[in-house]
Structure formats: structure tokens, C-alpha cells
Amino acid sequence: MQLTWRSACIGLLASHLPSTQAANIQRITDSLQNPTNVGFYIYVPDKLAAHPAILVNPHACHGSASDAYKGSRYASLADKHGFIVIYPDSPNKADSCWDVSSAETLRHNGGGDSLGIVSMVRWALDKYGADRDRVFVTGVSSGAMMTSVLAGAYPDVFAAGSAFSGVPFGCFAPGGPASTSNAGAYDYWSDDCAKGKVTRTAEQWAAAVKAAYPGYDDWRPKVQIFHGTADETLNYVNFGEEVKLWTGVFGLSSTPASTTPNTPVSGWTKAVYGPDGWFEAYSAQGVPHNIQVQEDTVMKFFGLDCAQNCFSWGQGGPFKTTKPRCRREAPAN
């Protein structure tokens, strides 16, 4: 286990300063199914939509819920569009990184930090009458890793995920994501994954995601990823492995359907996979680990800037089936 690398994540927390909001971030202390005691903070705009969407924004290592709140424009965008933002707070005292390695967190309803975060979503769905078909997650670095965990292990909860400077689902798990030796490995650092030494086939990555929720054979959330080619903390090899992971999960060709240079920033290249645009991958030339969050691009991908007939769980994607879509679990604490 190595912790010294994580100081590199500190710079990720000060990318933006939000506009002044009338509402404030609030700490929730209600009893939840929260086995690792993840801190629960929420931003509810003064003018809430009638059936609001929810955005989950886990922070980077050495950060906090407050840092995530202050370090992006999502709260001010929530004021504009009426959605709720959940800012979870890592319980890992040593470095405030997320549990993306334990057998518990990598399994649907298995425990770990991921279950605590999902319990916050369930609480907000019930408390505010939020739209259970419009729940999204985005994060940077360790927050990006948690984004992949939540999109992979809870496809029945999240409609889409957006990960900046992350790694594939289960890449940090000692012995691999399916290993039983991962139990209790809540804050494990995988030097091999960080350095780009963990490589698998698309089929192997996809199998790990599908094993996270045994028996689940339904609609899966769409995903976008961003990674700098000069990432000094989480090697750029992880970008290619994430591409293999999600194209494998979605059953898409590894060849992009389209590529667009200088999007959304000069020197960045957008690649879209599949005819439905279900997976997007942005390669940022020369960008280090401290990547610039692109809130507007994330908002558009999620449809959080939409007023009516908005993207929601169960819509679109490479999931052709004749059976009716399963309604997902009712909110439960």
C-alpha cells in the first residue's frame, strides 16, 4: 500500500470557483445503510424542479465534500436547472480517497463506500420526490474511479457517468475484481494499475463489471471518460483500458464511429463509439493528472440542462431487446 502519490490530486480541487448561491451545502445525519460511514452532504437549490434529477459528485483524494462543492460549477448549475447535487465525503482518514478496491464496494449492494453513496441517492429520491430515472455521477481522479464503480455495480440506479482521470472498474482491486481476497480492502493502492501495468481484454473487463451484479441483464448507463496523455499519477494506459472496458460492456466496436479534434478544448480529441453515442472518450494531449473539468460537456451528455423530454434511464443505447424494461428498485433507506 502506498499513499505518497496522492498529494498530486490536491490541485484537482481548485479548478473552479462557483458563483454565489443563495442555498448552501448541508450535512445530512439521518440513519442510512452506510457500512463504512461515508459522510453525506447535499446541495438543494432554492428553486427545485418539480421532479428533480440528482447528480452525485465524489471528490478527489485528499479532498472533501466541501472541496468538491467549491471546486466546480455544479452547484450554480443546479441553481439554474433545479437539480440536486450529492457531495459524499470519504471516510478514509489516511488520505480521503474512495474505496474502489474492496470486494464489498465492487458488488451490487455488497457494502463499502459505494453502498453508502447509493443509500444517499435513495434517501434523496424519497425525501424530494426526485426522478429515479435521472440519477448521474461524475468525479475526478479517485472520484472518477468511484464513478466507474457506481456505473458498473449499480446500473439500475445511474443513468450515466462521466469520469476524469480515472481507471477501469476494479483495476485497483488486489488480486483482480473477482478475487475473494479483496474483502475489507477499503483503501488499497495498486501501484501496478496506477502505472498502467494492469491490462486485460475487453471481454475480461466486461466480465468483471457483469460479475458485480450477478444475474443483471438489462439496460446499462452510458459513460464518458477524459484522460490526459501526460498523466503522471494514473498512467495514460488506463485510458485505453477504460475504452476496452466500456466497449466490452456495451458490446461496441473498439473502432470509434467518429472522432472530432479540438473538442471541447484545443488539443483534446473526442471519440464516439457505437451508433447511439453511448460511450465517449476524450484524449487530452499533453494534459497532466490535474485535468480541467468540463462541466458544460458533462451537463450536455447527462441532459441536465434539459427542460423537457430529457434523457433518462432506459432510453437508447445498444441494448436491443423485445422484453419490457425492468422498473428499477423503489427508493429504500
Side-chain angles (χ1 to χ4, degrees):
M1 186 175 189
Q2 301 178 16
L3 303 175
T4 55
W5 74 277
R6 289 167 174 166
S7 60
C9 297
I10 296 174
L12 294 166
L13 304 174
S15 298
H16 301 283
L17 291 177
S19 303
T20 302
Q21 292 103 23
N24 288 298
I25 189 172
Q26 307 169 51
R27 184 183 177 211
I28 305 299
T29 58
D30 291 13
S31 178
L32 304 173
Q33 190 177 8
N34 189 3
T36 56
N37 199 30
V38 177
F40 183 8
Y41 293 81
I42 193 169
Y43 183 82
V44 181
D46 290 337
K47 189 176 181 180
L48 191 63
H51 199 33
I54 295 175
L55 175 64
V56 178
N57 186 203
H59 58 74
C61 285
H62 293 288
S64 66
S66 178
D67 290 324
Y69 164 66
K70 295 174 182 177
S72 77
R73 293 166 41 226
Y74 290 123
S76 60
L77 289 165
D79 284 336
K80 181 177 180 180
H81 299 288
F83 60 86
I84 294 167
V85 189
I86 292 174
Y87 297 100
D89 203 61
S90 171
N92 297 313
K93 302 302 182 184
D95 47 37
S96 296
C97 293
W98 291 106
D99 166 25
V100 295
S101 52
S102 73
E104 293 87 345
T105 204
L106 293 172
R107 193 173 180 90
H108 184 83
N109 286 336
D113 291 358
S114 64
L115 179 57
I117 294 172
V118 168
S119 295
M120 297 170 194
V121 170
R122 294 167 177 162
W123 180 94
L125 289 170
D126 187 37
K127 173 74 172 179
Y128 295 102
D131 190 343
R132 66 192 183 103
D133 289 336
R134 299 186 68 222
V135 179
F136 307 95
V137 57
T138 185
V140 184
S141 189
S142 186
M145 298 184 205
M146 179 52 73
T147 294
S148 293
V149 168
L150 292 171
Y154 293 89
D156 56 335
V157 174
F158 294 91
S162 179
F164 290 77
S165 299
V167 302
F169 177 96
C171 189
F172 264 44
S179 174
T180 56
S181 66
N182 300 346
Y186 295 127
D187 193 21
Y188 181 84
W189 166 250
S190 171
D191 201 51
D192 283 346
C193 179
K195 291 181 177 179
K197 296 179 180 179
V198 177
T199 60
R200 299 188 175 106
T201 66
E203 293 75 18
Q204 288 171 329
W205 283 122
V209 170
K210 292 173 182 177
Y213 192 172
Y216 183 82
D217 184 23
D218 206 339
W219 192 92
R220 287 190 178 269
K222 65 179 182 177
V223 174
Q224 64 178 185
I225 64 171
F226 301 77
H227 212 115
T229 63
D231 193 319
E232 72 285 6
T233 302
L234 299 174
N235 191 280
Y236 183 69
V237 166
N238 283 297
F239 176 78
E241 294 303 300
E242 285 188 281
V243 170
K244 287 194 286 185
L245 164 72
W246 293 113
T247 54
V249 169
F250 299 145
L252 301 175
S253 170
S254 60
T255 301
S258 66
T259 56
T260 308
N262 300 316
T263 302
V265 178
S266 178
W268 295 29
T269 301
K270 173 185 178 180
V272 177
Y273 295 80
D276 298 294
W278 215 247
F279 175 55
E280 298 180 350
Y282 294 79
S283 176
Q285 182 62 40
V287 173
H289 189 62
N290 191 3
I291 195 169
Q292 181 83 14
V293 174
Q294 304 297 319
E295 291 100 334
D296 292 340
T297 302
V298 175
M299 291 284 291
K300 182 178 180 180
F301 188 68
F302 290 169
L304 279 171
D305 55 359
C306 169
Q308 57 184 354
N309 299 321
C310 305
F311 166 73
S312 63
W313 191 96
Q315 280 188 8
F319 307 99
K320 313 303 181 185
T321 179
T322 57
K323 69 177 181 179
R325 292 294 175 203
C326 298
R327 290 300 293 172
R328 296 174 298 138
E329 61 186 37
N333 294 330

